[in-house]
Amino acid sequence: MEEKNYKIMHDNTFMEVHCIEFIEEMQDPNVSKLAKAFQVTRGAISKVTKRLIEIGAIESYRKPGNKKEIYFKLTDIGREIYREHEEMHEMRIEKDSGFFSPLSEAEKEDMIRMLHKIYGQIAEELKKMGLDNYV
């Protein structure tokens, strides 16, 4: 897969792009479901969804007979961002496959052990900083 400039997607934050991903893949996405999926406050999701509405990536709607709950769906712009994000992941998997495929099983196991140690150290630092929800 050739290198590509993901202009549309890179105009958005990590949280915005992943919110778009969740909205596309989640059934009946709303602020509460998105907040739970991200493990953040509903207020944080409200800010993200407000920005995504402002740039035209998502739109809100209500179901007939339910005037209270607000749901979200992607617009054409949102679907383009979602598509670019998926392409980027596919390209990353292809590149990673080229790196990992020649490794022996023992080398892969060593690498996994090392990554678990690194993750453990990062998790401890995040806990010390009071950022347990990122672990």
Side-chain angles (χ1 to χ4, degrees):
M1 189 174 274
E2 69 181 54
E3 289 287 328
K4 183 178 176 181
N5 181 14
Y6 294 102
K7 172 74 174 105
I8 293 174
M9 190 181 71
H10 287 298
D11 289 341
N12 303 99
T13 66
F14 174 88
M15 187 78 153
E16 290 168 352
V17 171
H18 286 91
C19 191
I20 286 170
E21 179 182 23
F22 282 148
I23 289 170
E24 176 64 15
E25 296 176 359
M26 190 179 279
Q27 184 169 345
D28 299 328
N30 61 23
V31 169
S32 295
K33 285 183 178 182
L34 292 167
K36 185 176 180 181
F38 277 107
Q39 297 182 341
V40 298
T41 65
R42 290 188 349 237
I45 293 298
S46 292
K47 287 180 184 178
V48 172
T49 55
K50 181 180 178 187
R51 162 104 165 100
L52 292 173
I53 289 170
E54 287 173 1
I55 65 169
I58 67 171
E59 57 189 25
S60 62
Y61 68 94
R62 289 187 165 98
K63 290 183 176 184
N66 183 351
K67 302 237 188 260
K68 181 184 173 200
E69 203 65 51
I70 297 172
Y71 301 94
F72 303 105
K73 64 182 179 180
L74 300 186
T75 63
D76 289 342
I77 293 169
R79 281 187 290 280
E80 180 64 17
I81 294 168
Y82 176 81
R83 186 190 59 71
E84 282 190 359
H85 184 241
E86 289 300 300
E87 281 183 15
M88 188 188 73
H89 277 285
E90 288 173 19
M91 187 175 72
R92 181 78 258 158
I93 288 168
E94 189 176 297
K95 283 183 176 182
D96 290 349
S97 177
F99 174 79
F100 291 109
S101 62
L103 297 177
S104 70
E105 286 305 310
E107 290 171 318
K108 289 176 188 174
E109 288 173 16
D110 287 343
M111 187 175 287
I112 289 169
R113 271 194 298 281
M114 180 182 64
L115 291 172
H116 280 294
K117 284 183 181 179
I118 292 169
Y119 172 78
Q121 290 176 336
I122 292 170
E124 285 303 313
E125 290 298 316
L126 289 171
K127 285 178 185 175
K128 287 178 188 174
M129 297 168 60
L131 300 171
D132 297 32
N133 57 327
Y134 291 100
V135 177

